[in-house]
Amino acid sequence: MDVAVGAGGNGSECVEVAATPDAVHVRDSKNLHGPRLALTPAAWAGFVAYAARR
């Protein structure tokens, strides 16, 4: 599993992204027991492409 952590401009808005062969998992890095989002790799790729255009 590959894990990446990203931060906003001030560093207080971080998320962790963990990629597995079947899903990409996203969660708030400061709220480890909070809600999590699981996307298919295709849905994640679509989101990343969309976000890159913004």
Side-chain angles (χ1 to χ4, degrees):
M1 180 182 315
D2 295 326
V3 176
V5 177
N10 63 6
S12 65
E13 299 175 6
C14 301
V15 296
E16 290 181 337
V17 178
T20 65
D22 298 325
V24 177
H25 304 272
V26 183
R27 71 177 180 184
D28 181 343
S29 63
K30 296 177 301 309
N31 187 2
L32 300 181
H33 300 291
R36 298 173 185 162
L37 178 64
L39 302 157
T40 64
W44 177 252
F47 167 75
V48 170
Y50 173 82
R53 294 189 305 267
R54 302 290 172 231

